[in-house]
């Protein structure tokens, strides 16, 4: 029976897995620069972590979660995102007891049952950061700057930074009331999903892709008219900080983000290249989510963070030719001439490997052609060639594939050539 991978999932190997790990390494190193420490939370959680955390009225919770009953009939869900689990862990492990901010990052797989397409998968990887603790406009700007610098470090420059504020909870509640009133009058002309959204969560109507360009949407109430002076002053301060940090942004009043926990500053980094078929793809999204900790019975805590889709970043690296794979896989390939020296070749390889020199041999063939093919495949800078004559005379042929030189060397010189300290290698005749 042929078994294939599940639609919307990916296998990584060869060059792709290197690209994936390259992004991970950049993510880890920038996290260190900004003082974020790693957190690993379970890949599945009790369903209510996401239902309460992400919000009952969101597409993620309503349509996209992989939810199942375990053997004791408890409802579990594969995490669709990182923030809810991190907030749950923050409260459960009483991280709030430590004074100041908890700055955490994660890099791991998430699961959403979405319709697969370029840049949208059912199992995908997010690199995310969360800063939980006393909030400030300076921190908001610093988190956005983190995302900006991360993409810059990957070489991704053509990105639009869209930013908005959805105000404090009370401002947002007033706005939701206004939206409800407004859309109630037009709901017959809107899509079925919007009809449900009107009941459950009117803010989500603004995310609707179907009705996005309609006049009804264009004339909808604007959040700015429902915000308090403090909310506006806070947002202005974030923008001022971004100006100072040199981050160019566009204020997008309709940007409300698809998850319920947000308040105040929200942002998205969007790939911006009109000639590309991934133009408009959101590479990174985040915002402030003060008070999410209350959903897990923790103390009221301010928080902000973002998540970025690693597979989307891989697509962009490919598109812009930003990932170069010239890594050599091994330092040396040991080639033997004739079957009688295969064991000596294996022993020499074992010596090199045990002394931290990466090494490859052909386990099957003693013909020269396949052995040279192997050294090409692994891009080895050195090739050692031994036959019974070399073993007899205590020498080996050393080829340098970069300088294109070859010479006979004494077997005692092996240590010096590969910087090996300690006991020398000797042929066992
Ligand atoms: P999100 O906007 O749902 O936010 O996802 C963040 C990023 O994950 C997106 O911008 C995108 O790059 C990537 N992503 C989302 N869904 C998929 C998918 N199906 N396939 C591939 N990539 C995808 C969050 O998840 C929030 N937890 C972000 C956050 C952290 N907010 C505050 N802290």
């Amino acid at each position: 029976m042929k078994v294939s991978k599940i639609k919307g999932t990916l296998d990584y190997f060869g060059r792709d897995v290197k690209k994936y790990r390259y992004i991970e390494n950049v993510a880890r190193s920038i996290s260190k620069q900004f003082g974020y420490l790693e957190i690993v939370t379970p890949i599945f959680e009790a369903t209510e972590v996401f239902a309460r955390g992400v919000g009952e009225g969101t597409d993620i919770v309503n349509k996209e979660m992989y939810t199942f009953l375990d053997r004791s009939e408890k409802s579990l869900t594969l995490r669709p995102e990182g923030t809810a689990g991190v907030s749950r862990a923050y409260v459960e492990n009483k991280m709030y007891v430590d004074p100041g901010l908890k700055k955490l990052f994660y890099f791991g797989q998430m699961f959403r049952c979405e319709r697969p397409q370029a840049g949208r998968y059912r199992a995908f990887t997010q690199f995310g950061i969360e800063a939980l603790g006393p909030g400030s406009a300076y921190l908001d700007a610093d988190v956005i700057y983190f995302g900006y610098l991360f993409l810059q470090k990957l070489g991704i420059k053509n990105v639009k930074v869209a930013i908005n504020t959805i105000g404090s909870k009370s401002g947002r509640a007033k706005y939701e009331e206004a939206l409800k009133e407004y859309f109630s009058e037009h709901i017959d002309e809107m899509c079925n999903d919007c009809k449900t959204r009107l009941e459950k969560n009117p803010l989500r109507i603004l995310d609707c892709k179907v009705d996005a360009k309609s006049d009804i949407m264009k004339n909808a109430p604007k959040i700015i008219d429902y915000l308090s002076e403090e909310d506006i002053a806070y947002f202005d301060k974030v923008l001022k900080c971004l100006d100072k940090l040199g981050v160019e942004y566009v204020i997008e009043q309709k940007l409300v983000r698809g998850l319920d926990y947000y308040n105040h500053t929200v942002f998205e980094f969007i790939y911006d290249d009109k000639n590309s078929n991934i133009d408009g793809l959101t590479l990174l999204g985040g915002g402030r989510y003060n008070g999410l900790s209350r959903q897990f019975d923790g103390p009221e805590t301010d928080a902000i963070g973002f998540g970025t889709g690693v597979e989307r970043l891989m697509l962009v690296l490919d598109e812009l030719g930003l990932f170069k794979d010239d890594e050599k896989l091994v330092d040396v390939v040991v080639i033997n001439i004739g079957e009688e020296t295969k064991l000596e070749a294996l022993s020499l390889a074992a010596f090199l490997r045990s002394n931290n020199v990466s090494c490859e041999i052909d386990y099957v063939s003693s013909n020269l052609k396949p052995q040279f093919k192997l050294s090409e495949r692994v891009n080895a800078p050195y090739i050692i060639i031994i036959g019974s004559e070399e073993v007899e005379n205590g020498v080996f042929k050393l080829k340098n594939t970069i300088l294109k030189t070859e010479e006979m060397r004494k077997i005692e010189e092996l240590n010096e050539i590969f910087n090996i300290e300690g006991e020398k290698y000797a042929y066992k005749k």
Side-chain angles (χ1 to χ4, degrees), residues 32-257:
K32 198 164 175 208
Q33 281 153 10
F34 280 78
Y36 285 73
L37 300 177
E38 185 168 11
I39 180 165
V40 179
T41 60
I43 277 182
F44 58 84
E45 298 262 4
T47 299
E48 59 260 37
V49 170
F50 307 111
R52 275 199 251 158
V54 177
E56 304 269 10
T58 61
D59 278 356
I60 294 182
V61 172
N62 277 332
K63 301 194 217 160
E64 296 170 3
M65 293 206 305
Y66 282 99
T67 297
F68 55 97
L69 293 180
D70 73 0
R71 285 166 193 273
S72 59
E73 305 275 294
K74 186 170 171 54
S75 178
L76 305 179
T77 294
L78 297 184
R79 61 181 182 196
E81 59 97 58
T83 311
V86 169
S87 299
R88 195 263 316 132
Y90 176 83
V91 172
E92 189 168 344
N93 297 289
K94 298 195 172 49
M95 292 187 215
Y96 48 79
V97 172
D98 298 339
L101 272 182
K102 266 277 165 256
K103 292 158 82 181
L104 304 167
F105 82 88
Y106 47 90
F107 189 98
Q109 279 211 306
M110 310 289 160
F111 307 88
R112 294 185 194 177
C113 192
E114 296 197 76
R115 201 146 45 84
Q117 59 184 65
R120 191 189 293 156
Y121 310 98
R122 291 183 167 175
F124 61 98
T125 311
Q126 269 188 359
F127 162 49
I129 66 164
E130 313 292 352
L132 302 109
S136 99
Y138 301 111
L139 173 63
D140 293 24
D142 201 47
V143 165
I144 295 170
Y145 183 66
F146 184 129
Y148 172 82
L149 196 64
F150 174 57
L151 296 191
Q152 294 279 315
K153 278 183 188 269
L154 291 173
I156 304 172
K157 306 228 158 77
N158 30 345
V159 167
K160 180 174 93 176
V161 178
I163 184 167
N164 193 21
T165 177
I166 46 178
S168 58
K169 278 180 218 155
S170 64
R172 184 180 149 156
K174 272 192 242 154
Y175 182 52
E176 279 170 335
E177 258 323 297
L179 285 179
K180 203 164 189 168
E181 209 178 304
Y182 171 81
F183 284 120
S184 302
E185 288 165 22
H186 302 280
I187 200 65
D188 293 341
E189 299 153 67
M190 302 186 72
C191 75
N192 281 339
D193 277 348
C194 281
K195 292 188 175 98
T196 320
R197 288 174 185 132
L198 182 67
E199 288 313 311
K200 288 197 169 173
N201 192 339
L203 204 61
R204 294 280 75 81
I205 297 179
L206 300 181
D207 296 329
C208 179
K209 305 272 180 298
V210 183
D211 292 318
K213 294 204 164 74
S214 68
D215 282 344
I216 301 171
M217 206 67 105
K218 278 186 205 140
N219 299 328
K222 304 269 179 295
I223 180 85
I224 191 86
D225 299 324
Y226 298 84
L227 298 180
S228 67
E229 273 175 32
E230 285 101 311
D231 289 349
I232 293 171
Y234 185 91
F235 188 52
D236 280 345
K237 198 163 167 187
V238 176
L239 299 181
K240 219 165 135 199
C241 296
L242 289 176
D243 291 337
K244 178 81 178 170
L245 295 174
V247 179
E248 278 182 35
Y249 54 82
V250 181
I251 300 171
E252 282 202 357
Q253 297 236 359
K254 265 183 55 200
L255 178 69
V256 288
R257 307 265 305 129

Side-chain angles (χ1 to χ4, degrees), residues 60 64 80-84 106 110 112 114 119-126 128-130 257-259 261-262 267-269 281-289 304-313:
I60 294 182
E64 296 170 3
E81 59 97 58
T83 311
Y106 47 90
M110 310 289 160
R112 294 185 194 177
E114 296 197 76
R120 191 189 293 156
Y121 310 98
R122 291 183 167 175
F124 61 98
T125 311
Q126 269 188 359
I129 66 164
E130 313 292 352
R257 307 265 305 129
L259 302 93
Y261 45 61
Y262 290 115
F267 51 91
E268 283 184 356
F269 289 24
L281 192 67
T282 305
L283 302 181
L284 179 153
R288 187 157 272 292
Y289 54 97
I304 182 166
F306 69 68
T308 173
V310 174
E311 288 75 10
R312 293 191 181 182
L313 299 175

